[in-house]
Amino acid sequence: KAEIEANIAKIYSGEKFYHYPSVSYLYSLGHYTYIRFRTLKGSAKKVFFVEKKKHEMEKKAADDLFEYFEVKIPRQTKLSYYFEVHSKDGIFHYGDFEVDLKEQSKKHYVPFWVFDRVLYQIMPDRFANGNPENDPKDEIRFGNISHHGGDLEGILQKISYLKELGVNALYLTPIFESMTYHGYDILDYYKVAKKFGGDTVFEEFITKMKREGIKVILDGVFHHTSFFHPYFQDVLKNENKSRYRNFYRITGFPVVSKEFLELLNSDLPWNEKYKKLKSFKWNYESFFSVWLMPRLNHDNEEVKEFIKDVTQFWLRKGISGWRLDVAHGVPPKLWKEVRENLPKSAYLIGEVMDDPRLWVFDKFHGTMNYPLYEAILRFFVNEEINAQEFLNCLELLSIYLGPVEYTMYNFLENHDVDRMLGLLQDKRKYMCALVFLFTYKGIPSIYYGSEIGMNNTKGAFMERSRTPMVWDMEKWDKELFKITRELIKLRKTSKALQIGAFEPIEFKDGLLLYKRVHEDESILVGINYSKKMVPIKETPKQVLLGHLDGKYLSPFSFFIAHSL
Ligand code: ARE
Ligand code: CA
């Protein structure tokens, strides 16, 4: 181990200290400008940021190799500065930087409307059936799971519900022509599926949502198309001579065997066919070996143009942004081109499962925040890390993402993971996690039904979190609905929660105590995720939500307050 460490130290010895005014080391957001500095672990005792005045920087986080320091100062547009590093070998001056932050914010423009949003994710098939006449027939069921008949009319009929809840942006999983209930196998990217109401209902949908101040974000599936998409069908038919041969990643001909086609065209019911076809071999790349989803060839200029065209098309039709499916399976460079091609006001979220850094800054405005979700799972669900460790995870992410953090898509659940209330089996605990989600940096989202206590964890993974929305009010958890509604309200009106600085006060054992600060607004949040009563050392001015027992916070409870 010592040898490895010595080698690492050697590799980085020229880089013991590091800062460059790139967006994750220097940025402005809200009321502040944030400056970061990196040191090789153990190589600095103190770091000062010097700009007119000398500011001591705070050690925020550490990973295996480095320690990260930060200081925040009132928002600046121009800066000239250097660093003074105190180490055991003496005092060093690092850098001499002149920076115009206006240039940076022009380059990393974020659509301003995003900050005060609370997203609500809906799987249209599973939400509300507003028109039974458009329900698809059973012959297009895949696997054992099929359509429930939900549609855009259904969502429209529930506008008053959405208003009461207070959400002001919707993320809909795919609504284009497809054969499955989830819609990730798109047949026509320019048509809203008839089963969801078609183009006419979509227009009405957009108009009404606009009137209500609800933004609409759609799911864009550009990693793959459906096997039955006309482009892929053309390849099947014309093989090597197909005009669309290079739209996909074909690895040989024939693309599928005769037996495959025979089975496909047989009279067997879809669920049987689908299962049997899985065991065949085929000559194209696909999503996770799913034959139904052949992978597009993103090196092909025509495919690039196609993606740009579709994303533009629906923005012109009135949507406000895209959630981009399997974004990590498409080259980042392409997303950059896509972004440059769209109006600046479009909000782009990539589905990226792991390290998001390659995909943000000049690509997406954020990703589905899986790293934060992992940290939440580890602290709130598995309880395998304590508050200090949780804080280090948060601060590391903050160091990695810089301003992007504030526009990440944050979630406790979505259609690909289990419902957290089900995992926790404890409403008090769930509310603690929810309070964290709504008071932390990033755009919070609610997955349909969580607000009323849906918590199914029985059945197949992924499918079990997609049971139909419960509309029978008798079955609702009214307390959860109320608290969710209040959190949404608070979030929408608090600049501190949207763009304020995050100031940890005490992260110890199960206690999370922190402030969110913007100008003269300061919100104090306490979450006691432990079995003990915990004393709170800050005195809040006015408790807004949850409560304190004198100076104490009860087990698995929270408070949100205006602080002095
Ligand atoms: C269906 C069944 C599954 C079955 C699968 C294969 O539901 O139980 O295993 O078929 O036969 C959509 C549908 C799914 C459907 C799938 C395939 O929603 O229901 O599955 O199509 O037909 C990976 C990807 C990530 C992806 C997840 C699901 O990296 O991009 O898997 N998420 C998006 C969407 C999905 C959607 C698709 C992609 C496809 O959000 O809803 O699925 O368009 C680890 C790995 C991840 C992996 C993850 C799986 O974390 O690191 O890479 O994510 O596990 O949970
Ligand atoms: Ca219907």
Side-chain angles (χ1 to χ4, degrees):
K1 195 175 172 217
E3 198 181 320
I4 293 172
E5 274 172 8
N7 280 335
I8 290 171
K10 222 185 279 162
I11 291 166
Y12 286 97
S13 59
E15 249 199 326
K16 249 191 199 166
F17 309 131
Y18 183 77
H19 169 89
Y20 188 78
S22 61
V23 72
S24 57
Y25 279 85
L26 173 73
Y27 66 93
S28 294
L29 208 127
H31 198 45
Y32 297 106
T33 295
Y34 299 80
I35 302 107
R36 273 101 181 251
F37 192 83
R38 189 186 82 188
T39 64
L40 195 63
K41 225 174 191 172
S43 64
K45 283 192 202 135
K46 280 182 176 188
V47 183
F48 296 89
F49 165 74
V50 191
E51 198 263 350
K52 290 179 209 127
K53 269 191 344 210
K54 196 162 136 181
H55 308 258
E56 177 159 7
M57 299 183 84
E58 204 183 322
K59 194 191 288 179
K60 287 295 236 185
D63 55 25
D64 290 346
L65 285 178
F66 303 113
E67 284 163 339
Y68 302 89
F69 292 77
E70 183 189 87
V71 68
K72 63 175 192 291
I73 58 174
R75 190 173 183 130
Q76 307 287 318
T77 42
K78 282 206 165 116
L79 276 177
S80 63
Y81 61 94
Y82 64 92
F83 298 90
E84 188 181 295
V85 189
H86 294 219
S87 81
K88 60 178 188 307
D89 306 320
I91 295 177
F92 298 91
H93 278 201
Y94 182 95
D96 183 8
F97 300 98
E98 295 269 345
V99 183
D100 185 348
L101 278 144
K102 263 204 215 118
E103 284 304 307
Q104 197 197 56
S105 57
K106 253 189 254 158
K107 223 160 102 193
H108 294 282
Y109 179 86
V110 172
F112 62 90
W113 61 265
V114 171
F115 290 110
D116 65 0
R117 298 289 145 173
V118 175
L119 292 161
Y120 189 72
Q121 183 193 346
I122 293 178
M123 280 201 110
D125 179 64
R126 300 298 161 90
F127 193 62
N129 191 350
N131 176 10
E133 273 172 26
N134 61 19
D135 291 4
K137 304 280 176 297
D138 252 349
E139 59 265 29
I140 45 176
R141 65 157 58 199
F142 278 95
N144 295 315
I145 325 285
S146 193
H147 290 87
H148 282 246
D151 47 36
L152 296 181
E153 282 114 309
I155 303 176
L156 281 175
Q157 287 166 13
K158 301 295 179 186
I159 281 192
S160 57
Y161 173 79
L162 299 174
K163 294 293 285 180
E164 196 193 342
L165 183 59
V167 291
N168 52 8
L170 299 180
Y171 152 41
L172 309 181
T173 54
I175 61 167
F176 309 110
E177 284 296 352
S178 70
M179 289 165 81
T180 61
Y181 77 86
H182 53 68
Y184 283 97
D185 53 319
I186 298 180
L187 297 166
D188 187 342
Y189 286 77
Y190 295 95
K191 285 232 149 18
V192 170
K194 285 191 200 68
K195 64 188 172 193
F196 295 143
D199 291 335
T200 329
V201 174
F202 179 74
E203 259 170 51
E204 182 193 341
F205 182 81
I206 288 290
T207 312
K208 291 214 167 128
M209 289 303 168
K210 261 207 184 120
R211 202 179 300 153
E212 300 295 342
I214 299 176
K215 301 272 185 186
V216 177
I217 291 165
L218 293 184
D219 208 325
V221 187
F222 299 109
H223 170 270
H224 50 266
T225 70
S226 166
F227 178 94
F228 299 101
H229 189 283
Y231 292 165
F232 196 73
Q233 287 298 302
D234 193 86
V235 182
L236 281 187
K237 194 167 148 229
N238 298 312
E239 299 272 327
N240 214 352
K241 293 198 189 65
S242 166
R243 142 128 183 58
Y244 299 100
R245 187 218 171 292
N246 282 320
F247 270 54
Y248 295 91
R249 294 181 176 271
I250 308 294
T251 52
F253 294 100
V255 178
V256 295
S257 64
K258 226 172 81 212
E259 293 75 22
F260 185 102
L261 284 179
E262 268 166 25
L263 182 58
L264 188 67
N265 297 323
S266 71
D267 294 333
L268 276 181
W270 262 116
N271 50 349
E272 278 175 50
K273 253 193 233 180
Y274 183 73
K275 235 184 274 158
K276 283 198 175 145
L277 286 169
K278 269 191 198 170
S279 61
F280 280 78
K281 283 210 168 65
W282 51 83
N283 287 320
Y284 54 91
E285 284 184 21
S286 62
F287 169 78
F288 269 78
S289 308
V290 175
W291 65 264
L292 179 66
M293 298 175 167
R295 186 172 178 213
L296 283 162
N297 174 13
H298 305 99
D299 298 332
N300 182 339
E301 287 304 321
E302 283 184 292
V303 169
K304 292 183 194 171
E305 287 312 310
F306 169 69
I307 297 174
K308 287 183 200 166
D309 193 59
V310 175
T311 47
Q312 268 180 351
F313 181 85
W314 292 104
L315 278 158
R316 281 201 301 271
K317 295 269 178 206
I319 68 165
S320 301
W322 287 100
R323 176 268 191 191
L324 294 148
D325 189 54
V326 206
H328 51 270
V330 177
K333 227 181 111 230
L334 176 50
W335 293 128
K336 184 166 182 264
E337 284 175 39
V338 167
R339 171 165 171 173
E340 282 161 1
N341 213 46
L342 295 176
K344 275 187 147 187
S345 60
Y347 177 45
L348 301 178
I349 287 297
E351 188 211 17
V352 175
M353 301 298 237
D354 44 31
D355 192 338
R357 281 175 289 181
L358 264 182
W359 312 93
V360 290
F361 305 122
D362 52 350
K363 287 112 195 165
F364 304 123
H365 300 100
T367 63
M368 296 191 80
N369 204 343
Y370 274 95
L372 181 68
Y373 175 67
E374 293 299 326
I376 289 173
L377 281 183
R378 294 178 72 193
F379 180 74
F380 287 100
V381 179
N382 304 326
E383 296 186 49
E384 63 187 57
I385 54 173
N386 60 29
Q388 293 98 306
E389 292 163 315
F390 183 54
L391 178 62
N392 190 52
C393 293
L394 299 178
E395 296 289 21
L396 266 182
L397 255 181
S398 169
I399 294 286
Y400 294 157
L401 293 172
V404 170
E405 259 198 303
Y406 291 81
T407 45
M408 291 287 279
Y409 180 117
N410 288 354
F411 61 90
L412 296 181
E413 49 215 35
N414 62 49
H415 63 302
D416 285 347
V417 299
D418 280 323
R419 291 195 182 261
M420 195 166 278
L421 182 58
L423 293 177
L424 289 168
Q425 293 294 333
D426 182 332
K427 193 167 55 164
R428 303 288 126 201
K429 287 184 172 181
Y430 180 73
M431 291 198 296
C432 287
L434 197 65
V435 165
F436 174 74
L437 184 80
F438 272 83
T439 55
Y440 195 61
K441 295 173 276 186
I443 312 299
S445 68
I446 304 277
Y447 180 49
Y448 79 91
S450 288
E451 72 277 13
I452 50 147
M454 283 173 64
N455 62 2
N456 180 47
T457 50
K458 289 192 201 82
F461 181 57
M462 298 215 284
E463 303 299 341
R464 60 194 178 218
S465 58
R466 302 175 181 182
T467 51
M469 175 68 181
V470 175
W471 291 112
D472 177 358
M473 283 177 74
E474 296 292 301
K475 296 192 176 126
W476 288 6
D477 186 320
K478 306 235 168 48
E479 188 193 9
L480 250 183
F481 185 80
K482 192 162 167 269
I483 189 78
T484 310
R485 205 177 58 186
E486 280 168 5
L487 282 169
I488 293 171
K489 199 166 140 203
L490 184 62
R491 175 79 191 201
K492 285 196 301 187
T493 50
S494 165
K495 278 261 183 304
L497 294 182
Q498 295 163 16
I499 55 172
F502 167 74
E503 294 181 359
I505 299 166
E506 196 178 1
F507 278 67
K508 196 166 163 268
D509 304 327
L511 175 67
L512 316 179
L513 185 65
Y514 52 95
K515 271 187 197 165
R516 298 293 311 278
V517 184
H518 176 75
E519 293 180 339
D520 50 9
E521 186 193 3
S522 174
I523 300 268
L524 179 69
V525 182
I527 297 171
N528 176 10
Y529 211 69
S530 79
K531 295 193 187 83
K532 291 181 302 197
M533 292 287 276
V534 173
I536 299 299
K537 56 184 185 190
E538 291 265 323
T539 325
K541 193 160 81 181
Q542 180 202 356
V543 175
L544 300 165
L545 266 181
H547 70 267
L548 272 171
D549 204 347
K551 264 184 151 353
Y552 285 84
L553 190 54
S554 306
F556 298 106
S557 73
F558 66 88
F559 73 92
I560 303 176
H562 279 306
S563 74
L564 290 173

